[in-house]
């Protein structure tokens, strides 16, 4: 079928639906709904699709569109649920189960007949965006594919739900934390319902901030609302019965201000002129400094061993890795090299694996060009350490999406295991970058030079299955987000016990030495960095404007050409590694 995706942004769910429908052989293009109905109607006419699907649309579909072509909307709530804050409310109310519905667009929002729906569990300790990219995306994918199948059958009659319930927009007044009265559990629920956007508005240290993300602190206590400590860039604040960690802050925008964006909390506070040099920003006492000993408390990097397998877990908000985060991860990685293990697994339990360098931190830096380079050098150091680890196997385990340098970071490992629902974007072009992380070595090594060139040029998202067929991924782990860590641990234990392991390590060492003799790693790095530096140092290079637009969430003026014309090419996946 010719399917047109209509979306407010080419976000994670839209990317996933796009990639999955293409895998099924449909001709899929994307048109962004950017506020101009006439433009949209003309675009739909031009595409002339059999079916329109809107995986994430924050505005109503114009009547000219849905009356001309069947249009299916993905609504993040069960059948009959309506309104703009469905998922936020489900998380804020602490529901254990929620749903997603694919319904037909009609004049009234979310009121059309239902083509398909699916339920999903809502884990109690997960933020809204993580849930959206995880359990919800899995359920939405099932429902969309079923709806497409039913539509294609030509015989299915969509049905109206028995009742409708309108849930209004969840305003900041309802999200607000009542510090003198709210328990840790209540504070966390409010933070998670607003994570990653819009955050919870709060007055704090004399300024208005949006608080982003929330994790429980098991030991520290204090006067409710008080800033107790900082750790790994996050701040800890007391509640009535404990404390919570808040990893990121965004100052509230005042009329006439520039757009403000999220930063690691300590960086945001440190940049705030009234707070510069004040004593509140002290690091948490060093008893939790070692990764082993941070268990139970907040830490964006942890290490654990099960038998002869080490698990170096990291979880950075938005998958973005700042210079500081890369350096801390490198230190933790080097510590694992002293451990008597046969296999090291790197990657978090859920959500993003990595999205490369931290564009927000770079944009907020005094000298963004210098910070861009520092961040690239720091992530390169980490990749190099992985590439030169020859005394044990390294597995990159991707619970969720990975993009740009974050996708290439995974390729440094010996094996890449990827959750079936993950979406990969192994390219840099959309940020105006040539790319680094030794991708010129690792990507062609895995997929061959032609596929490497195509992936980086097309700049389109891939499913884990398509990535496996290309040789980019070794194993697809078909499970829900909540089961991924357990499943990976099971697979890792089996791999560590396998008889062929010593021989494999020998072959790995020999291959590294051969590759080094053909072209040393430092040559790849120098070449990539030369091109990256020329971009960073050129104020007119598109990267600077693209980065600024990305961190400030400026909408593009029109649909990017490569999405609009995606149907013209449908690269069939082939596998040079025989996988
Ligand atoms: N730096 C800073 N923040 C980043 C980031 C990065 N490299 N990558 C993602 N994020 C943030 C986003 O701003 C967003 O924040 P929000 O939750 O507050 O809105 C969050 O992570 C999720 O990203 P979003 O863009 O909403 O997710 P998506 O699934 O729609 O798209 C990507 C995923 C990876 C395609 C998109 O985020 C992207 O292009 N990131 C930049 C990748 C890049 O160019 N990295 C630098 C080169 S190595």
């Amino acid at each position: 079928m010719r399917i047109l995706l209509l979306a407010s942004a080419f976000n994670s769910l839209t990317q996933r639906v796009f990639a999955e429908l293409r895998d099924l052989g449909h001709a899929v293009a994307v048109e962004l709904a950017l506020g101009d109905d006439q433009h949209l109607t003309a675009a739909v006419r031009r595409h002339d699709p059999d079916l329109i699907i809107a995986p994430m649309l924050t505005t109503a579909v114009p009547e000219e569109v849905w009356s001309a072509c069947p249009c299916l909307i993905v609504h993040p709530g069960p059948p009959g649920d309506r309104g703009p804050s469905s998922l936020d409310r489900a998380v804020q109310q602490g529901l254990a189960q929620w749903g997603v519905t694919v319904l037909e667009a009609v004049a009234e929002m979310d009121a059309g007949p239902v083509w398909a729906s699916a339920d999903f569990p809502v884990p109690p300790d997960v933020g809204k965006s993580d849930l959206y990219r995880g359990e919800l995306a899995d359920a939405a994918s099932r429902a969309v594919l079923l709806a497409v199948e039913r539509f294609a059958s030509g015989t299915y009659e969509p049905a109206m739900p028995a009742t409708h319930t309108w849930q209004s927009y969840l305003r900041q007044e309802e999200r607000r934390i009542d510090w003198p009265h709210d328990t840790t559990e209540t504070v966390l629920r409010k933070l998670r319902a607003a994570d990653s956007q819009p955050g919870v508005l709060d007055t704090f240290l004399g300024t208005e901030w949006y608080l982003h993300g929330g994790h429980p602190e098991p030991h520290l206590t204090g006067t409710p609302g008080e800033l107790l400590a900082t750790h790994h860039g996050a701040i800890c604040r007391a509640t009535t019965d404990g404390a919570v960690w808040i990893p990121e802050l965004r100052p509230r925008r005042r009329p006439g201000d520039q757009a403000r964006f999220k930063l690691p909390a300590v960086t945001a506070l440190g940049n705030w002129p009234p707070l510069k040099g004040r004593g509140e920003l002290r690091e948490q006492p060093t008893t939790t400094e070692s990764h082993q000993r941070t268990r139970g408390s907040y830490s964006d990097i942890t290490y654990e061993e099960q038998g002869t397998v080490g698990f170096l877990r990291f979880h950075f908000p938005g998958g973005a890795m700042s210079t500081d985060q890369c350096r801390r991860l490198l230190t933790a990685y080097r510590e694992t090299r002293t451990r008597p293990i046969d296999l090291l697994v790197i990657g978090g339990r859920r959500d993003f694996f990595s999205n490369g360098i931290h564009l927000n931190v770079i944009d907020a830096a005094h000298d963004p060009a210098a910070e861009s380079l520092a961040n690239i050098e720091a992530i390169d150091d980490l990749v190099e350490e992985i590439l030169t680890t020859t005394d044990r196997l390294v597995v990159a385990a991707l619970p969720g999406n990975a993009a740009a340098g974050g996708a290439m970071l995974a390729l440094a490992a010996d094996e890449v295991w990827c959750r079936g629902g993950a979406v990969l974007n192994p390219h840099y072009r959309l940020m105006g970058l040539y790319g680094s992380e030794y991708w010129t070595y690792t990507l062609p090594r895995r997929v061959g030079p032609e596929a490497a060139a195509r992936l980086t040029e097309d700049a389109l998202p891939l499913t884990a299955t398509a990535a496996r067929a290309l040789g980019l991924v070794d194993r697809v782990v078909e499970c829900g987000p909540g089961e991924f860590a357990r499943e990976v641990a099971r697979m890792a234990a089996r791999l560590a016990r396998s008889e062929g392991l010593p021989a494999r390590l020998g072959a790995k060492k020999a291959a590294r030495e051969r590759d080094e003799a053909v072209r040393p790693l430092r040559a790849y790095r120098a070449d990539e960095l030369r091109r990256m530096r020329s971009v960073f140092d050129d104020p007119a290079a598109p990267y600077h404007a693209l980065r600024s637009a990305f961190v400030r969430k400026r909408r593009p003026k029109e649909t990017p050409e490569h999405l609009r014309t995606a149907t013209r090419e449908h690269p069939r996946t082939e596998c040079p590694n025989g996988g």
Side-chain angles (χ1 to χ4, degrees), residues 297-321:
S297 189
Y298 171 75
S299 178
D300 53 11
I301 302 171
T302 60
Y303 179 67
E304 184 197 346
E305 278 172 21
Q306 293 174 16
T308 59
V309 183
F311 295 88
L312 180 61
R313 298 202 171 95
F314 51 92
H315 184 266
F316 303 120
M321 293 168 63

Side-chain angles (χ1 to χ4, degrees), residues 218-238:
H219 306 302
L220 300 175
T221 53
T223 310
E226 184 192 358
L227 174 58
L228 298 176
T230 68
H231 188 56
H232 288 180
I235 55 170
C236 182
R237 293 180 67 189

Side-chain angles (χ1 to χ4, degrees), residues 218-514:
H219 306 302
L220 300 175
T221 53
T223 310
E226 184 192 358
L227 174 58
L228 298 176
T230 68
H231 188 56
H232 288 180
I235 55 170
C236 182
R237 293 180 67 189
T239 63
T240 53
D241 59 349
V244 295
W245 288 97
I246 299 165
E248 293 187 313
L249 294 175
R250 174 170 58 100
R252 185 181 191 178
R253 188 180 182 181
R254 298 259 152 228
D257 271 2
Q258 286 234 338
R260 305 219 177 258
F261 50 86
K262 272 195 303 191
L263 285 172
V266 172
T267 310
L269 291 177
N271 285 354
W272 200 244
L275 297 179
K276 269 194 179 153
R278 281 178 48 177
E280 285 91 346
L281 303 183
R282 65 186 185 279
E283 261 287 303
Q284 195 186 351
T286 48
T287 45
T288 54
E289 208 38 56
S290 149
H291 302 298
Q292 299 265 32
R293 275 174 278 153
T294 52
R295 203 169 296 158
S297 189
Y298 171 75
S299 178
D300 53 11
I301 302 171
T302 60
Y303 179 67
E304 184 197 346
E305 278 172 21
Q306 293 174 16
T308 59
V309 183
F311 295 88
L312 180 61
R313 298 202 171 95
F314 51 92
H315 184 266
F316 303 120
M321 293 168 63
S322 68
T323 306
D324 169 60
Q325 286 159 332
C326 290
R327 286 183 184 153
R328 284 193 288 105
L329 188 52
L330 175 61
T331 303
Y333 185 91
R334 284 190 174 138
E335 277 177 29
T336 71
R337 293 197 68 176
T338 65
R339 302 294 305 161
I341 51 172
D342 295 326
L343 174 63
L344 178 69
V345 180
I346 59 170
R349 286 179 176 277
R350 312 181 35 111
D351 208 11
F352 286 123
F353 175 76
S354 169
N355 285 327
I357 58 175
H358 202 311
L359 299 168
N360 292 33
V361 170
I362 289 170
D363 213 85
H366 168 67
D367 181 348
E371 183 54 33
S372 300
L373 188 61
N375 203 160
I376 284 291
E377 295 266 22
I379 199 167
D380 271 5
D381 289 345
L382 174 64
V383 173
E384 185 183 325
E385 193 75 21
I386 301 170
L387 285 171
T388 54
T389 301
T390 50
D391 60 343
R392 63 200 60 199
L393 277 193
V394 182
V395 168
L398 280 58
N401 304 350
M408 305 306 179
L409 166 66
L411 304 189
D414 302 300
E415 289 198 15
V416 179
W417 299 351
C418 190
R419 197 174 81 78
V423 174
L424 303 181
N425 277 288
H427 51 80
Y428 301 83
R429 185 165 73 77
L430 304 179
M431 202 49 69
L433 292 172
Y434 175 73
S436 189
E437 294 88 12
Y438 295 86
W439 78 269
T440 50
Y441 171 56
T442 57
L443 188 62
R445 182 176 72 156
R446 275 194 161 263
V447 302
E450 276 159 34
R454 202 174 63 224
L455 286 171
T456 48
E457 260 315 294
D458 286 355
L460 290 172
L462 292 175
T463 60
T465 308
R468 161 93 170 75
L470 277 170
L472 207 58
V473 160
D474 300 289
R475 298 178 74 173
V476 177
V477 187
E478 291 296 356
C479 67
E483 290 113 48
F484 183 75
R486 213 174 28 247
E487 191 56 27
V488 163
R490 207 181 50 74
M491 291 162 60
R494 196 183 307 149
L495 179 57
R497 279 197 308 271
S498 62
E499 276 182 12
L501 199 66
R504 234 184 121 178
L505 286 176
K508 168 180 173 171
K509 192 162 184 289
R512 176 82 285 284
E513 281 164 7
R514 264 197 322 274

